[in-house]
Amino acid sequence: MVLGIDASSSSLSNKNLSVLVVDDDPLIRMLHDNYLKHFGLKPHVVENGKEAVKLFQLGIYFNLILMDNEMPIMNGVEATKVLRDMGSTSMIVGVTSRGSPSEMQTFMEAGLDFCFEKPLTFDMIDFILKELNMNDDDDDDTNN
Amino acid sequence: MVGTSLSQQLENYIQTMHDQGILDYHFDHVKALQNEENPRFLMEVISMFAHDAEAGIAHLTTLLNSAVVDFAKVISFVHQLKGSSSSIGGVRMALACRQIRHACDNMDKERCLQLLERMKQEYNSLKECLNIIFEMERSIVVANETRHRQP
């Protein structure tokens, strides 16, 4: 039984999407990695915001970044702000245990596109991928 | 045939845990991530969760029993435990974590200590349940490996 997945998020359309998972908890990294693989993606995984920023500085672009908030060295709010200041156009989605409205608001204001409270679900990924594919379609229309 | 009946027993057990409110649907999502390429995925997740949870609970116990409690640190550990327990479907343990967070916001050490005991009880129930699932999964994996090795 496959939960919450429909044809528009099929593996075929996701093959070319690059994804980065940023979380300090190894269990969460493993879960998010496998959730995304279930959708035909091949995520890159790092353990804090500074590592995510380093990848950007190296010129490595990700269509999607799943960003935890609570992390040592550089947390999700800081990392998101830095990435946006540096010109990152990735879709950045916050996935956090800190689900109070004010905490989610602060996280959104750092520059997120969306923010979800943990745990990550198939439906959330489905939604995110649909949004990503829609953005790609918009870009195609502009270029034509 | 042995493998099939083990799988059915496992499904029945998981349903019982749903009925008792110990596990919610997130557990089923995690289980659905297991496939032929990673047949021990669920066992790995359970091991990791138990290891991390026990370390987190030990930290919380030390912090909350200090003369002067560093509530910011307590909140940080509590959020990690809430995140991991909810991700594996341990809904009651996650709820206990949320309650500790609220007590921290009020800087209520006594209440935090009471809720910590409750959270430990929820963790023990969850751990017992996950251990049984782990053993059943292990039997299934072994049965499948034995079947594949037979000529």
Side-chain angles (χ1 to χ4, degrees):
Chain A
M1 179 181 64
V2 162
L3 303 155
I5 300 177
D6 68 16
S8 56
S9 308
S10 70
S11 303
L12 223 53
S13 58
N14 297 334
K15 236 173 32 175
N16 297 321
L17 291 174
S18 57
V19 185
L20 177 66
V21 171
V22 191
D23 201 302
D24 64 325
D25 186 340
L27 173 63
I28 300 294
R29 286 201 297 274
M30 182 158 102
L31 287 175
H32 289 186
D33 184 36
N34 278 275
Y35 270 114
L36 294 164
K37 279 178 172 147
H38 197 80
F39 283 80
L41 295 157
K42 291 199 177 96
H44 200 96
V45 181
V46 295
E47 59 185 35
N48 64 55
K50 189 158 184 191
E51 297 301 312
V53 169
K54 268 189 205 165
L55 289 174
F56 183 84
Q57 286 169 325
L58 289 170
I60 300 171
Y61 171 76
F62 294 98
N63 297 103
L64 170 65
I65 301 176
L66 289 188
M67 184 79 81
D68 182 25
N69 198 356
E70 287 259 305
M71 294 180 286
I73 304 175
M74 188 186 283
N75 68 25
V77 167
E78 291 162 13
T80 304
K81 280 184 184 157
V82 168
L83 285 169
R84 291 304 188 207
D85 286 344
M86 287 166 66
S88 167
T89 55
S90 303
M91 178 178 286
I92 307 180
V93 176
V95 187
T96 176
S97 301
R98 288 190 176 253
S100 77
S102 59
E103 282 164 328
M104 305 260 281
Q105 169 98 353
T106 307
F107 203 0
M108 279 297 291
E109 283 167 0
L112 297 178
D113 291 284
F114 303 103
C115 193
F116 293 108
E117 191 176 353
K118 281 176 185 165
L120 189 66
T121 64
F122 288 124
D123 286 348
M124 286 172 189
I125 301 174
D126 209 26
F127 170 83
I128 292 167
L129 292 176
K130 284 198 172 104
E131 290 291 319
L132 262 177
N133 286 325
M134 257 166 41
N135 289 352
D136 278 355
D137 288 344
D138 286 345
D139 288 344
D140 288 343
D141 288 343
T142 323
N143 291 337
N144 285 345
Chain B
M1 284 308 148
V2 169
T4 309
S5 74
L6 281 172
S7 292
Q8 191 53 58
Q9 279 173 45
L10 177 57
E11 289 302 323
N12 294 343
Y13 183 74
I14 291 169
Q15 186 55 51
T16 308
M17 292 301 108
H18 281 312
D19 295 341
Q20 290 180 17
I22 294 178
L23 289 178
D24 72 9
Y25 64 94
H26 291 107
F27 180 82
D28 300 308
H29 285 214
V30 171
K31 186 168 182 294
L33 296 175
Q34 181 164 278
N35 55 36
E36 278 164 10
E37 284 166 22
N38 59 351
R40 289 172 187 263
F41 177 71
L42 194 55
M43 285 166 66
E44 284 171 24
V45 166
I46 290 173
S47 296
M48 259 179 135
F49 169 71
H51 179 265
D52 290 354
E54 274 160 37
I57 288 172
H59 280 298
L60 276 180
T61 307
T62 305
L63 286 168
L64 285 171
N65 283 297
S66 311
V68 179
V69 176
D70 183 345
F71 284 106
K73 270 206 179 125
V74 172
I75 287 174
S76 182
F77 279 110
V78 151
H79 273 295
Q80 188 178 16
L81 284 172
K82 177 161 92 78
S84 54
S85 57
S86 61
S87 296
I88 202 173
V91 53
R92 294 221 292 246
M93 181 177 164
L95 180 59
C97 290
R98 196 189 291 261
Q99 289 170 332
I100 296 175
R101 164 65 204 264
H102 290 146
C104 286
D105 288 341
N106 297 328
M107 295 179 66
D108 187 342
K109 178 177 172 174
E110 285 315 307
R111 181 83 179 125
C112 280
L113 283 166
Q114 280 170 7
L115 290 168
L116 177 62
E117 286 314 304
R118 187 184 302 176
M119 196 259 274
K120 282 177 180 174
Q121 281 165 15
E122 294 301 348
Y123 171 67
N124 285 332
S125 302
L126 179 59
K127 183 180 169 179
E128 208 177 283
C129 150
L130 291 174
N131 280 346
I132 291 172
I133 292 172
F134 183 97
E135 290 306 326
M136 289 172 113
E137 270 292 313
R138 205 215 311 252
S139 302
I140 292 169
V141 166
V142 166
N144 286 338
E145 283 172 354
T146 310
R147 208 175 26 246
H148 289 146
R149 276 204 295 274
Q150 281 164 2

